[in-house]
Amino acid sequence: MGQLIHIFRKDVRHFWREIVLSLGILTAFVWNTPRGWLPERYPEASDWFPWSSWLPALIALSWVLLILRAVEDEPLVGDRQFWLTRPYEWKRLLAEKILFVLTFINLPLFVAQLILLRVAGFAPFSFVKELLWIQVVWMAILILPMATLATVSAGMGSTVLAVLGIVVFLTAFGTLSDRLHLPHPAILRGVPQGLLIAVLLGTFVVVVVWQYARRRTGRARLLLAIVGSAVLLIGAMTPGTPFNADGYPLGAAEQSMPVMLAFDSAKHVSDERPPVKDKVLIEIPLLAAGVAANSAVEVDGKLVQIEAPGGLRWESGWERGGMNLLPDESSTLTTFEMDKSSFERMKSAEATVHLSFAMTAIEPSELRQIPVSGGVFSVPGGAYCWIQPESLSGLVCRAPLRSPFLVASTNIDESTCGMAESPNETSSGTIFYGWNWNGYSGPGGPEMSPVEVFQLQLMHGTRLHQESARICPGTPITFATLREGKRMRSELTIEGIRLADYKLKEFGRGLGAVSIGVHAR
Amino acid sequence: MSDAIHTEDLTKTFRGVHALRGLTLNVPEGAIYALVGPNGAGKTTAIKVLMNIMIATSGRAEVLGRDSTKIAAEAFCSIGYVSENQKLPNWMTVDAFLGYLRAFYPAWDRELEEALVKQFQLPRDRKLGKLSRGMRMKAALASALAYRPKLIVLDEPFGGLDPLVRDEVIEGLVERAPEATVFLSSHDLAEIENLASHVGYLEDGSLRISEEMVSLSERFREVEVTLNDGASVPGALPGSWMQVRNSASVVRFVDSRFEQERTEAEVRKVFGEVRNVAVTPMSLRSIFLTMAKTGRGMA
């Protein structure tokens, strides 16, 4: 322990400028950040200084600098360092570097995030677990990789070159792998991306420990190159997990469905898309009805089957969806990509299209009507909101760590805004909705600020014509947190359809394929 | 007397290039052993293998009774290592450097540190990076001597030093020598001659010679033979005669196994009666120059 503290004190003495710089930037960040979401204190919501949006990047850069400087004060590459022939114990030296990082990167970030949560009006110690997870994420994506590079690089310059080299390599690999159409062998199906990441991080740990214990730089570099390349290649060649519709039972009766879909024969295709070799995109208009107030339907997956006279058949297979159907939406589109040869055979025939949708009902859980105040008010989901000062058409909210899965709605008849502030063509009884679509409940990412800001724009209408609500102090707004409800499958058969009438027109030239998807409007 | 350093058939290869070829070496405890040889002979590589800075390709080495591959951490409390091109923490002052290292060594002697700083005239408040090459070497040496190591290992300690600093370094070493074994590599044969008790000559990764300085000096002599009229130099000469040159009636050579009576007997056997045999002692520099030029090992 004595040696550890002794080296630690030496590093602090040596790098006090870098430490002060890093802590200074972090302090500026803590000082500036609430200006964007604390209207109680900063009603203008303006930044402290012009380039304050760069502060998170600067903090990360200062951390990189600290890591590189600390590791390279006892360089592991080379054979001329004085410390190699002094009574350093590698375990204590490694522990000291870890202590240095924890003290001047992790701890300040943790404290800064506690302060920001406190300033935002949340109970900071209720989120310790989540904050610690953020630390783990930063460790995984920045601290450990940079420390690993520093242990196998001969100085700051070569580390920077190595980072640039890796960026160039990854860019080139990404471009090439797209063009080369790498095979997706079945043997790799089911290889979780998490496992690949764990292997990579495990290799980083092994390399760091190995370098401190043995200083076998050549072999450590080789190990990194082999594992990194293997993980990259396997990751690129791993087939995407196909959508599994097994958990979506077929709805017994239409009444039980959270949405009713029907073919909209009156609509025609007007969208365009860039051409993709040997592929065409079909867009089918649908009518949607039945989504309950403050609810929604999420289409998770979709299957398209087409039959045409002469025994012609085509099937897309289950594809991931990506469509949200909202209560005030009456029409939508579903698109799918066909290979050109199949399309050419079937395009003019009177075909039958079977559409299957795997859906999840999104239901309100905590529902509360709140007459909005002129200041900040709390809403379900643990967030604080206030009226968007510029437009009066929406709310700005702040939430701890991750914004809630939330919907806000208001009836135009209940608006407290004067006539001049209300849209005059909106019919009585119209309900405006604002969604914060955040159904993801997994672990968080590398956040610098633990306070997430989101907006609830209360809108009504179609994609082509949307109206915004006017919100004034006293206007009652219904807030509901959302949760996933039952899952089910809905099927729709369209007979006598000419696919050629629903093919998207092509323009210009494009490089990438447009994936199968569904667009709401 | 046991050996402070012992190597057996030590080999080090860098991408197919042999830096050491089966180096077998013994450095007795208490010796001042100088490893000399031309540039690229493998001296620094040998020292780095001994200090576990590099790993040998094959063979083994023991330093103070410990396998050299196990030398780390507390083993360096008994070893003082200084290298000509060692990277020191240039941002530290001399005082901070010595203060920093002090905590690593239980046997650090503050009085000795003070004496060394005075002896080497080190400016305590000056940063290492601002010191001259000689001053840096002296600072490194002070930091390697202040804990009274059992073994002092110096890699080219005199390289680039001016004569005054060189003398100071040697003086510092000589004062410590009675309580330690010193193993050093150097090009500076003149200084080695006055300092070393043992010498090893390394060439192309192989140890050509390793023996006590006294015996080496005694067995190498420059011999000048004045022949009688009409005498000539025969084709076959004793193997210990090196660099044989003749002009008119004078033959000069270096005898690497010189013994007065034996050498004179060999001269008579080769040339018959001669007019005169003059024998001159050789400096270490002359001995190694002779060996380097001859390019052969000595028995």
Side-chain angles (χ1 to χ4, degrees):
Chain A
M1 185 58 109
Q3 190 175 105
L4 188 156
I5 298 298
H6 186 61
I7 304 170
F8 181 77
R9 286 171 60 189
K10 180 266 297 175
D11 278 353
V12 173
R13 273 202 310 276
H14 191 190
F15 302 124
W16 69 267
R17 290 176 194 84
E18 289 87 343
I19 292 167
V20 167
L21 177 73
S22 180
L23 295 181
I25 299 171
L26 189 62
T27 305
F29 175 75
V30 172
W31 188 262
N32 178 70
T33 301
R35 289 167 184 263
W37 44 249
L38 200 63
E40 305 95 301
R41 199 179 297 168
Y42 308 104
E44 292 301 314
S46 61
D47 282 333
W48 185 26
F49 49 92
W51 40 273
S52 50
S53 59
W54 286 84
L55 285 171
L58 288 175
I59 292 168
L61 271 179
S62 76
W63 290 347
V64 169
L65 182 70
L66 275 180
I67 294 163
L68 298 187
R69 297 283 279 148
V71 171
E72 288 167 3
D73 212 36
E74 276 85 14
L76 299 162
V77 179
D79 54 14
R80 291 162 52 192
Q81 307 90 302
F82 86 99
W83 71 272
L84 294 179
T85 50
R86 300 292 181 171
Y88 277 78
E89 288 180 35
W90 73 265
K91 286 177 190 164
R92 290 185 183 172
L93 182 59
L94 175 58
E96 186 274 330
K97 298 306 172 195
I98 293 170
L99 178 66
F100 187 86
V101 166
L102 290 176
T103 306
F104 296 112
I105 295 178
N106 295 91
L107 183 62
L109 176 66
F110 186 68
V111 172
Q113 293 189 328
L114 287 177
I115 291 170
L116 285 172
L117 283 173
R118 180 77 190 84
V119 169
F122 306 116
F125 291 102
S126 311
F127 301 100
V128 166
K129 205 171 82 179
E130 289 83 355
L131 295 183
L132 289 177
W133 173 253
I134 290 175
Q135 302 279 342
V136 171
V137 175
W138 276 113
M139 279 277 185
I141 67 156
L142 183 81
I143 296 170
L144 184 56
M146 287 315 301
T148 306
L149 273 182
T151 61
V152 296
S153 303
M156 184 94 72
S158 54
T159 308
V160 172
L161 279 178
V163 170
L164 290 176
I166 290 168
V167 169
V168 169
F169 174 74
L170 289 179
T171 309
F173 182 84
T175 309
L176 276 177
S177 63
D178 278 351
R179 294 193 177 183
L180 291 177
H181 302 293
L182 291 172
H184 296 289
I187 195 168
L188 293 177
R189 177 157 294 155
V191 174
Q193 296 290 313
L195 177 67
L196 295 176
I197 293 168
V199 167
L200 197 60
L201 293 178
T203 306
F204 289 165
V205 172
V206 167
V207 164
V208 169
V209 174
W210 198 18
Q211 276 294 83
Y212 272 92
R214 292 278 180 271
R215 295 193 313 108
R216 301 288 184 267
T217 304
R219 292 178 192 181
R221 285 175 180 166
L222 188 65
L223 178 67
L224 278 178
I226 290 172
V227 174
S229 305
V231 163
L232 194 63
L233 207 58
I234 292 171
M237 291 170 67
T238 301
T241 315
F243 180 78
N244 184 357
D246 291 350
Y248 297 79
L250 194 60
E254 283 202 344
Q255 285 75 9
S256 67
M257 301 300 289
V259 64
M260 284 171 284
L261 296 169
F263 175 51
D264 187 355
S265 56
K267 273 225 173 72
H268 296 287
V269 173
S270 57
D271 289 343
E272 293 182 339
R273 67 167 231 160
V276 176
K277 193 182 176 190
D278 300 331
K279 298 283 181 189
V280 293
L281 196 69
I282 309 292
E283 186 176 80
I284 294 180
L286 298 173
L287 294 168
V291 180
N294 295 309
S295 302
V297 174
E298 193 165 18
V299 176
D300 301 322
K302 179 177 62 178
L303 172 69
V304 182
Q305 294 163 306
I306 304 174
E307 291 170 20
L312 296 173
R313 281 183 61 85
W314 180 85
E315 186 179 317
S316 66
W318 276 101
E319 302 279 358
R320 292 188 186 280
M323 171 172 69
N324 301 324
L325 298 165
L326 308 178
D328 58 343
E329 286 177 340
S330 57
S331 62
T332 187
L333 295 168
T334 184
T335 57
F336 56 92
E337 202 170 58
M338 280 184 85
D339 58 282
K340 201 169 249 172
S341 57
S342 300
F343 172 78
E344 290 298 330
R345 285 200 302 274
M346 303 167 96
K347 65 180 181 183
S348 304
E350 298 278 310
T352 301
V353 175
H354 302 279
L355 295 169
S356 301
F357 296 105
M359 302 186 296
T360 301
I362 304 297
E363 301 165 343
S365 51
E366 187 187 350
L367 200 107
R368 198 162 14 129
Q369 193 178 56
I370 300 167
V372 301
S373 70
V376 174
F377 51 92
S378 68
V379 301
Y384 289 106
C385 297
W386 58 97
I387 297 172
Q388 199 168 37
E390 297 87 8
S391 65
L392 298 180
S393 65
L395 301 171
V396 185
C397 307
R398 62 176 186 253
L401 295 156
R402 180 178 304 141
S403 63
F405 194 5
L406 191 72
V407 60
S409 59
T410 186
N411 190 321
I412 186 68
D413 297 343
E414 294 174 340
S415 173
T416 56
C417 300
M419 287 303 288
E421 292 164 327
S422 298
N424 50 16
E425 70 248 40
T426 308
S427 54
S428 173
T430 301
I431 296 174
F432 290 77
Y433 283 96
W435 299 86
N436 185 54
W437 202 271
N438 190 9
Y440 176 69
S441 58
E447 305 295 347
M448 202 64 85
S449 169
V451 179
E452 187 170 320
V453 178
F454 61 98
Q455 294 187 346
L456 290 168
Q457 290 292 335
L458 278 79
M459 314 288 279
H460 170 77
T462 64
R463 188 176 59 169
L464 295 175
H465 181 71
Q466 283 196 326
E467 296 169 25
S468 302
R470 293 286 179 270
I471 301 165
C472 297
T475 301
I477 295 183
T478 301
F479 291 91
T481 53
L482 299 168
R483 66 175 176 210
E484 289 190 355
K486 60 184 176 181
R487 290 178 165 185
M488 67 206 70
R489 200 187 310 168
S490 169
E491 302 209 328
L492 172 65
T493 301
I494 307 166
E495 290 181 340
I497 187 170
R498 271 183 80 246
L499 292 177
D501 296 339
Y502 296 91
K503 171 182 173 285
L504 288 193
K505 290 171 191 160
E506 293 174 348
F507 67 91
R509 287 188 61 80
L511 290 175
V514 175
S515 60
I516 189 163
V518 186
H519 303 293
R521 66 178 174 186
Chain B
M1 189 183 289
S2 60
D3 292 329
I5 296 174
H6 169 71
T7 72
E8 266 180 36
D9 209 16
L10 214 54
T11 302
K12 177 68 185 175
T13 309
F14 295 104
R15 293 194 178 103
V17 177
H18 289 278
L20 293 177
R21 297 169 190 267
L23 175 66
T24 298
L25 173 75
N26 294 303
V27 178
E29 267 183 21
I32 300 179
Y33 190 106
L35 189 64
V36 299
N39 287 337
K43 303 186 294 294
T44 296
T45 303
I47 287 179
K48 284 185 172 166
V49 168
L50 292 174
M51 293 293 98
N52 197 21
I53 297 172
M54 283 180 188
I55 300 296
T57 308
S58 65
R60 56 186 292 273
E62 276 185 10
V63 177
L64 297 178
R66 189 188 293 246
D67 188 319
S68 68
T69 58
K70 303 280 191 296
I71 290 178
E74 96 286 351
F76 283 112
C77 288
S78 308
I79 300 171
Y81 168 81
V82 176
S83 165
E84 175 191 33
N85 53 12
Q86 207 165 15
K87 282 185 184 166
L88 299 178
N90 287 338
W91 61 276
M92 285 189 188
T93 61
V94 172
D95 195 47
F97 180 54
L98 295 173
Y100 176 61
L101 290 178
R102 206 178 291 143
F104 286 89
Y105 298 94
W108 188 279
D109 186 336
R110 288 293 295 267
E111 287 181 10
L112 178 57
E113 174 198 321
E114 196 55 47
L116 287 163
V117 168
K118 273 189 185 159
Q119 182 182 356
F120 291 151
Q121 298 174 324
L122 290 169
R124 277 191 177 274
D125 57 348
R126 189 88 60 85
K127 285 187 175 174
L128 292 171
K130 301 282 181 192
L131 295 179
S132 65
R133 185 186 175 90
M135 276 295 191
R136 276 225 302 280
M137 176 58 80
K138 288 196 290 186
L141 193 59
S143 76
L145 296 178
Y147 49 94
R148 301 183 186 281
K150 289 182 189 164
L151 174 65
I152 301 166
V153 179
L154 308 169
D155 188 10
E156 298 287 358
F158 312 122
L161 302 188
D162 65 53
L164 187 66
V165 176
R166 200 178 308 175
D167 281 354
E168 287 174 347
V169 169
I170 289 172
E171 197 179 322
L173 268 179
V174 169
E175 284 178 18
R176 303 282 85 72
E179 57 192 45
T181 304
V182 180
F183 182 70
L184 61 93
S185 73
S186 180
H187 285 106
D188 197 330
L189 298 174
E191 300 297 353
I192 293 302
E193 194 157 20
N194 300 325
L195 177 67
S197 64
H198 292 67
V199 67
Y201 181 74
L202 196 62
E203 188 179 57
D204 195 22
S206 301
L207 193 65
R208 304 291 185 200
I209 194 167
S210 177
E211 65 184 289
E212 286 189 52
M213 187 68 96
V214 175
S215 94
L216 183 72
S217 300
E218 282 179 354
R219 73 182 178 84
F220 272 84
R221 287 290 186 276
E222 216 164 37
V223 181
E224 185 180 289
V225 181
T226 309
L227 305 177
N228 285 329
D229 291 341
S232 61
V233 181
L237 297 171
S240 62
W241 291 11
M242 304 161 75
Q243 290 198 295
V244 181
R245 291 153 291 154
N246 69 303
S247 59
S249 59
V250 176
V251 178
R252 292 187 185 86
F253 62 90
V254 172
D255 188 358
S256 61
R257 292 168 63 193
F258 176 80
E259 282 172 34
Q260 188 75 38
E261 289 177 4
R262 192 179 63 78
T263 301
E264 284 178 3
E266 277 182 344
V267 166
R268 279 195 297 275
K269 189 175 169 187
V270 171
F271 301 111
E273 285 306 314
V274 295
R275 266 196 251 165
N276 185 41
V277 177
V279 176
T280 313
M282 294 174 70
S283 67
L284 190 60
R285 184 173 181 277
S286 304
I287 293 171
F288 286 129
L289 275 177
T290 303
M291 286 200 296
K293 285 177 183 168
T294 307
R296 54 180 167 156
M298 307 309 302

